[in-house]
Amino acid sequence: MTAWDKSKLPSRHVTVGPERAPHRSYYYAMGLTKEEIAQPLVGVATCWNEAAPCNIALSRQAQAAKRGVKEAGATPREFTTITVTDGIAMGHQSMKSSLASREVIADSIELTMRGHCYDAMVGMAGCDKSLPGVMMAMLRLNVPSVFMYGGSILPGKFHGRDVTVLDVFEAVGQHAAGRISDEELEELERHACPGAGACGGQFTANTMACISEVIGLALPFSAGAPAEDVDRDRWAHESGKAVVALLRRNLRPRDIVTMDALHNAAAIVGATGGSTNAVLHLPAIAHEAGLRFTLQDVAEIMRKTPHIADLKPGGKYVAADVHRIGGVPVIIKALLDGGYLKGDCITVTGKTLAENHREVIVPKDQDVVRPTSDPISPIGGVVALHGNLAPEGAIVKIAGMKTLRFEGTALCFDCEEDAFRAVEDRAYKAGDVIVIRYEGPKGGPGMREMLATTSAIYGQGMGEQVALITDGRFSGATRGFCIGHVGPEAAVGGPIALLRNGDRIVIDAEKGTIDVMLPEEELARRRAEWQPRRTDYNSGALWKYAQLVGPAHLGAVTHPGAAAETHCYADQ
């Protein structure tokens, strides 16, 4: 294998020349050879931890990726970063840490790569915020990079049917309503999550995994195998080899993540009825590439894309079923055949999206993924709303919904806990629009998800009879008439802060509108009376996050992004 020319690689600063003898001594201390030190250094970053099943298999997969890097002629250097796992953080104050963790993941990977002058990166993630966080770091650094999803969990079995963690959240509401016993709830919680992997439905992790393939940062077919499948190690190995090939070609993430690639990412979210959190993460990923891609941009593409994959929470199937019929490439191929994707986008294979999927066939003897000529719905599963209640926009997941219009009266809460208690006590009624505010990026701080509350409502059998709006977020597992990302948020005096109990609210997902039936004069009067609120987070990481974070419709980002760069790390 030919020797590497390190004259333009970051690792030259720690491995080349007599003055770097002290640095090289550290590598010798770790058992590297002279030849390995002379090769490019490839960071193998994972979010391995023992917090939740989402991440527990990543350490094993990292070893396979390192073998691939070595075989291809480079030197792997493994490191880990954090995750905050939403299934554990959900429904209490810990969820404030979730979205902020996305930024910490990206920041910590950046600092590790910068601090040690690594030349390329394999990034592996398993849980909701870790997937976009790793991809954001790849674009920020712009060194040759390959992403790999850690894999989904297999469905659990309960009374002869497939179940996911969403069923457990909804069972809490059923239990509170007296519809299931203590014993049944315990049996369900013991069997819903049978092993390693991220939530099995088309929740945030699997939505972002689909994005990783279609946007071109992950190898085709790599997102599909469940976490415990030995095939996942093969894809980790191939990812390690692929990143070295990218390094030889100097093909970088910003060459791959273009506006057309972002279009493709938004399209697959709409086609799969994916998580509303993608509307937060795609603008943030674009921001790292110096591109402006807003909530409205994402939503317009999703609305124009037919909903073709029948996946939970709105549908019948889980990620393992997609893998069974051929994986994410089957969804991509169906969209390419229908003309809904930009096929000429370059990917980490060095080939275009269309070239990668030329031989893929959409199986006919299955109903997991339909052709675009016979969709579940002619429009995507997530749409944007605008109106006097959300001038900067809001988002609603319509996949699986029976009605797209709701008119009701506001029932206002200034934090999720108060709303959850009201739901537990059945202190609401059919026709209410439950408003949870001061939960936005700044106001929370941290833009919590509301899965505990929405699941309790569904568990009580009221999911079709009320709506819920918030300046916070919803889990990818949320279903029902739930509107999130309402902007401007309450903490900065957005209209959601001005609502009072009994105000009439009209939501029309077909027209894309969300309005409170009040004259502008009344809103102006209330705005003049409004006073900002303090939170209890006045020091530490969440305080810092609240000072820096921007609005949800731009991705809730915390720094100026690539557009403000005067130099790029990869070119240092």
Side-chain angles (χ1 to χ4, degrees), residues 405-421:
R405 188 180 187 279
F406 194 96
E407 183 171 348
T409 52
L411 180 62
C412 300
F413 302 93
D414 289 348
C415 67
E416 186 193 9
E417 284 82 359
D418 290 350
F420 184 74
R421 277 192 293 272

Side-chain angles (χ1 to χ4, degrees), residues 236-571:
H237 183 264
E238 291 299 318
S239 296
K241 290 166 62 177
V243 79
V244 182
L246 291 176
L247 192 54
R248 292 184 188 280
R249 294 184 56 171
N250 196 29
L251 183 60
R252 302 179 180 186
R254 294 184 199 172
D255 301 323
I256 292 167
V257 178
T258 62
M259 288 300 291
D260 281 350
L262 289 162
H263 173 282
N264 291 343
I268 207 166
V269 180
T272 59
S275 168
T276 53
N277 282 313
V279 184
L280 199 66
H281 301 323
L282 285 176
I285 288 169
H287 184 70
E288 301 289 357
L291 303 171
R292 183 180 172 88
F293 195 61
T294 69
L295 177 152
Q296 186 62 39
D297 296 326
V298 179
E300 283 181 8
I301 294 164
M302 290 192 295
R303 190 176 183 87
K304 293 173 183 175
T305 308
H307 179 200
I308 61 170
D310 194 7
L311 301 174
K312 290 178 180 285
K316 293 188 291 186
Y317 296 106
V318 295
D321 296 307
V322 176
H323 180 57
R324 172 176 53 82
I325 66 157
V328 176
V330 170
I331 304 170
I332 293 173
K333 179 65 170 178
L335 291 171
L336 283 166
D337 288 348
Y340 291 96
L341 297 181
K342 314 284 188 181
D344 58 353
C345 292
I346 198 72
T347 72
V348 289
T349 65
K351 300 177 181 178
T352 67
L353 190 71
E355 288 170 338
N356 288 342
H357 296 82
R358 186 165 289 147
E359 305 302 321
V360 175
I361 296 170
V362 181
K364 296 189 183 301
D365 58 342
Q366 54 83 32
D367 62 348
V368 182
V369 177
R370 301 188 189 188
T372 57
S373 58
D374 180 31
I376 298 165
S377 165
I379 63 173
V382 181
V383 299
L385 307 174
H386 284 81
N388 70 352
L389 192 45
E392 290 179 354
I395 205 79
V396 60
K397 186 173 188 174
I398 63 170
M401 282 173 49
K402 296 172 184 173
T403 177
L404 298 182
R405 188 180 187 279
F406 194 96
E407 183 171 348
T409 52
L411 180 62
C412 300
F413 302 93
D414 289 348
C415 67
E416 186 193 9
E417 284 82 359
D418 290 350
F420 184 74
R421 277 192 293 272
V423 170
E424 274 195 314
D425 296 341
R426 303 298 289 263
Y428 69 103
K429 63 185 185 303
D432 279 345
V433 178
I434 297 170
V435 178
I436 306 179
R437 58 194 175 190
Y438 295 99
E439 292 286 8
K442 283 185 179 294
M447 203 179 183
R448 285 194 288 180
E449 293 181 351
M450 307 295 158
L451 180 62
T453 303
T454 59
S455 296
I457 290 168
Y458 248 89
Q460 293 175 1
M462 294 290 285
E464 304 292 334
Q465 299 177 59
V466 298
L468 192 151
I469 69 172
T470 180
D471 51 7
R473 300 181 292 122
F474 291 112
S475 165
T478 294
R479 56 182 177 145
F481 222 134
C482 298
I483 293 92
H485 304 207
V486 171
E489 62 173 292
V492 298
I496 192 172
L498 311 179
L499 293 176
R500 295 177 181 172
N501 290 345
D503 286 345
R504 199 78 183 162
I505 295 172
V506 178
I507 308 157
D508 194 322
E510 196 161 355
K511 293 180 180 176
T513 58
I514 179 168
D515 293 288
V516 57
M517 298 294 100
L518 292 172
E520 182 53 42
E521 298 77 31
E522 174 61 14
L523 287 171
R525 187 183 67 79
R526 294 185 187 183
R527 192 173 292 113
E529 296 174 353
W530 176 82
Q531 293 291 323
R533 299 181 177 220
R534 287 177 62 85
T535 76
D536 289 333
Y537 296 87
N538 297 308
S539 66
L542 289 174
W543 174 86
K544 189 188 303 182
Y545 179 81
Q547 309 313 304
L548 296 172
V549 70
H553 75 287
L554 297 178
V557 293
T558 57
H559 70 110
E565 280 182 357
T566 55
H567 87 285
C568 172
Y569 163 76
D571 296 321

Side-chain angles (χ1 to χ4, degrees), residues 18 37 48 67 69 82 86 102 276 302 306 328 462 523 529:
I37 296 169
W48 179 86
R67 288 193 294 272
V69 170
I82 69 159
D86 291 4
R102 184 191 72 179
T276 53
M302 290 192 295
V328 176
M462 294 290 285
L523 287 171
E529 296 174 353

Side-chain angles (χ1 to χ4, degrees), residues 173-181 184 426 456-462:
Q174 294 169 338
H175 180 266
R179 294 164 62 187
I180 64 170
S181 66
E184 287 175 305
R426 303 298 289 263
I457 290 168
Y458 248 89
Q460 293 175 1
M462 294 290 285

